[in-house]
Amino acid sequence: MSSHNCQQLINDPTRVTPDSETLLDLIFVSSDLQVIESEVLDLMISEHNTVSCKIALENQKPKPLLKTIRSYKNFDIHKFAEDANKIDWSRFYQMSNIDEKLALFNHSLLMLFEFHAPLKTIKVKQHYQPWYTDNLKYLSKIKRKAWLRYKKSRSIVHKQFFCQVRNFYNLAVANEKRAYYQHVLSSVYNDQKKYWNKIKSLQIGNQYTNNTVPTEFNVNDINKHFIESVPKFSSCGEQQYISSFTMQSFSSDQFLFKPVDVATIETFVSNLKPNCAGVDCITGKMLQLASTWFSEPLTHIINLAFEQGQVPKLWNFSLVKPIPKKKTSVSLDDFRPISLICNTLKVAEFALCAQFKTFLMEKNILPSQQSGFRENFSTSTVLISLVDDIFSGFSSGKVTLLTLLDMSKAFDSLNISLLVTKLKYYGVYGATLNWFQNYLFNRAQLVD
């Protein structure tokens, strides 16, 4: 140990018997550490005494978690409206390239907010615990004193008292949490969407909420892992399936995207999540605040994209946020990829989805029992239908078998070529089909 620049602190015997005294238990420290004291303690729990030491260490405060946000503290909607009205969109409508139109749209919006709501770096505060009352603080102090007294005396009586205080404190915390959450959730109990959003905002059940990626992980390695972790299925039989769908069609009806008006786009913009942003750094809140002045050029971009069957290059980029699944991430498998797309693309998706869902329902393409991704359907409708089928089978004297499948990375594993072929089979043609192809192929992503 001397060759490694270490020193041994314990000098008194650590194993004492009627016949011998032996120094067996050691403490080695680096020579550069400042040792305050070291000692041997007889706790009467083993033949070996306990060894301990006190070392002077610098009190290193944890680095604060920083976050860059837009500051709306001095935001003035009237001055914002004055500057928004001054934007000249004549050059925008004269452009022929859709990528240039989107670039000018984003630049105008970002410059407007850079002046009225500039970016600001702030410290992220710890999660507020409104259920932690003064009574709990008082019980916590009593518990702390009981623990220190037991730690000093090692008395069985003091230990029993500490256990009683600790159990009472834990029960009081659980009761306070339950009462607070029941009070807050009772106001939104009948609205499922608000109910689950409230649960998410309260971070109920989230044992670990820090979304910061440890510095030892390289973003390029994380990005490569996300791409290579997608299951690769055999292409055997792919051409046969594509040929079978190509040789026929579901019906003679065709789906073509119909241009939308400004009012429809404003409705879709109001449904955006306020704080999410893609690679263009434009949040839903920014589009919502500027909706009066920017909805018309955004409507023009969306209608032009579907009319020409083109997707702006920026819309093909996804910003991937690696969210740690565990408190201590030790491998790349401990990250969950959350893909964020541009909010302007989300509005275009909303417009397409509304028309395409109507087409699928009118032509009876969707199975009547499908509950996923449909309004007024949920896991509850699936369970009701499933239980009804099981009981119907029992009543008819039939044997009931249930097979459940859970595919890993199901949407990442879709065969894009076959999907496009099926879209054409169900009636998607022309510029709308080209838009789907340009959207699904040649996508790119970056990890932030």
Side-chain angles (χ1 to χ4, degrees):
M1 296 305 293
S2 299
S3 65
H4 291 281
N5 196 26
C6 293
Q7 60 179 345
Q8 205 281 117
L9 302 180
I10 305 302
N11 298 316
D12 297 330
T14 60
R15 185 175 185 272
V16 180
T17 68
D19 302 324
S20 65
E21 294 182 356
T22 314
L23 174 57
L24 294 177
D25 305 281
L26 312 175
I27 296 180
F28 286 96
V29 297
S30 311
S31 298
D32 56 350
L33 285 179
Q34 182 181 354
V35 180
I36 299 176
E37 65 175 344
S38 60
E39 59 181 337
V40 178
L41 302 174
D42 184 6
L43 300 180
M44 297 182 293
I45 58 176
S46 170
E47 292 183 353
H48 292 260
N49 294 333
T50 300
V51 294
S52 69
C53 70
K54 292 182 180 180
I55 301 174
L57 298 175
E58 293 183 4
N59 185 14
Q60 296 181 349
K61 295 182 179 180
K63 294 183 180 179
L65 182 61
L66 303 179
K67 185 178 182 181
T68 302
I69 62 171
R70 291 204 172 271
S71 175
Y72 293 92
K73 182 178 181 180
N74 300 320
F75 185 81
D76 189 333
I77 188 63
H78 300 291
K79 294 181 180 179
F80 180 84
E82 291 178 4
D83 290 341
N85 285 321
K86 295 178 182 178
I87 299 177
D88 183 12
W89 293 102
S90 58
R91 187 166 69 93
F92 169 84
Y93 289 106
Q94 292 173 1
M95 293 177 174
S96 58
N97 188 293
I98 193 171
D99 289 299
E100 294 178 356
K101 288 177 180 286
L102 182 62
L104 180 57
F105 175 90
N106 292 342
H107 177 75
S108 302
L109 185 62
L110 288 171
M111 290 298 100
L112 186 63
F113 275 91
E114 193 62 33
F115 182 77
H116 292 277
L119 292 173
K120 182 179 179 181
T121 301
I122 62 171
K123 295 180 181 180
V124 179
K125 297 181 180 179
Q126 292 184 351
H127 180 54
Y128 177 54
Q129 297 176 329
W131 47 264
Y132 199 75
T133 61
D134 292 337
N135 290 335
L136 291 179
K137 293 179 182 178
Y138 179 70
L139 288 175
S140 179
K141 291 180 180 179
I142 295 177
K143 184 185 71 168
R144 177 64 178 171
K145 290 180 180 179
W147 164 251
L148 292 176
R149 185 171 64 172
Y150 162 66
K151 185 178 179 182
K152 185 177 181 180
S153 66
R154 295 297 177 177
S155 169
I156 297 178
V157 176
H158 291 166
K159 179 180 180 182
Q160 291 176 348
F161 178 75
F162 163 72
C163 292
Q164 291 175 356
V165 174
R166 179 199 59 193
N167 295 341
F168 184 78
Y169 171 80
N170 292 339
L171 180 62
V173 169
N175 290 335
E176 290 289 353
K177 280 186 179 181
R178 186 182 299 107
Y180 174 77
Y181 291 145
Q182 287 178 348
H183 172 72
V184 173
L185 296 175
S186 61
S187 60
V188 292
Y189 183 77
N190 295 324
D191 191 326
Q192 287 191 3
K193 185 176 182 180
K194 291 183 179 178
Y195 183 82
W196 288 108
N197 286 339
K198 178 62 71 173
I199 287 180
K200 184 178 180 181
S201 65
L202 293 173
Q203 299 183 356
I204 297 177
N206 288 355
Q207 297 179 355
Y208 177 60
T209 57
N210 185 8
N211 294 334
T212 305
V213 178
T215 54
E216 60 263 25
F217 290 96
N218 185 279
V219 290
N220 292 323
D221 294 335
I222 297 176
N223 191 38
K224 183 179 179 181
H225 173 74
F226 286 156
I227 295 173
E228 295 179 349
S229 63
V230 177
K232 293 179 174 58
F233 295 96
S234 173
S235 59
C236 179
E238 173 185 334
Q239 194 58 42
Q240 181 180 354
Y241 283 113
I242 293 178
S243 300
S244 64
F245 280 107
T246 304
M247 296 173 59
Q248 53 185 331
S249 60
F250 182 79
S251 68
S252 58
D253 298 318
Q254 295 186 11
F255 170 78
L256 293 174
F257 180 83
K258 299 177 182 178
V260 293
D261 55 20
V262 176
T264 303
I265 294 300
E266 288 180 344
T267 302
F268 293 142
V269 168
S270 64
N271 294 330
L272 292 171
K273 293 183 178 180
N275 297 324
C276 292
V279 293
D280 57 0
C281 301
I282 296 176
T283 64
K285 183 176 183 178
M286 294 168 63
L287 285 176
Q288 290 163 359
L289 288 173
S291 178
T292 304
W293 305 274
F294 283 78
S295 290
E296 185 173 341
L298 179 58
T299 304
H300 174 76
I301 292 175
I302 292 174
N303 287 332
L304 183 64
F306 287 111
E307 177 186 340
Q308 297 179 350
Q310 295 183 0
V311 176
K313 294 179 180 178
L314 191 63
W315 284 1
N316 272 335
F317 278 87
S318 297
L319 180 64
V320 178
K321 295 283 187 179
I323 305 299
K325 301 178 185 178
K326 304 176 182 179
K327 186 173 183 179
T328 305
S329 302
V330 296
S331 69
L332 296 177
D333 292 325
D334 294 334
F335 295 96
R336 179 182 292 106
I338 303 298
S339 181
L340 302 177
I341 60 176
C342 299
N343 279 295
T344 49
L345 171 59
K346 288 183 181 179
V347 177
E349 287 183 346
F350 289 154
L352 175 63
C353 183
Q355 296 186 22
F356 194 49
K357 282 200 299 186
T358 302
F359 174 79
L360 295 176
M361 295 299 296
E362 290 177 349
K363 305 307 175 184
N364 294 321
I365 296 176
L366 291 179
S368 59
Q369 297 298 325
Q370 178 175 323
S371 295
F373 309 100
R374 293 177 65 187
E375 295 180 358
N376 302 321
F377 286 83
S378 65
T379 53
S380 300
T381 57
V382 175
L383 292 174
I384 291 172
S385 176
L386 177 62
V387 172
D388 181 67
D389 290 341
I390 293 175
F391 276 104
S392 297
F394 286 164
S395 301
S396 304
K398 298 179 180 178
V399 176
T400 301
L401 299 176
L402 177 64
T403 303
L404 301 175
L405 300 178
D406 184 11
M407 292 186 62
S408 176
K409 301 183 181 295
F411 286 96
D412 293 337
S413 307
L414 283 174
N415 188 312
I416 304 300
S417 299
L418 182 57
L419 176 60
V420 172
T421 304
K422 292 182 71 174
L423 287 172
K424 188 175 181 180
Y425 167 78
Y426 285 115
V428 181
Y429 285 92
T432 308
L433 182 64
N434 292 335
W435 191 93
F436 271 110
Q437 289 177 318
N438 291 327
Y439 175 68
L440 295 171
F441 286 100
N442 300 320
R443 298 197 62 82
Q445 70 178 41
L446 58 91
V447 170
D448 182 18

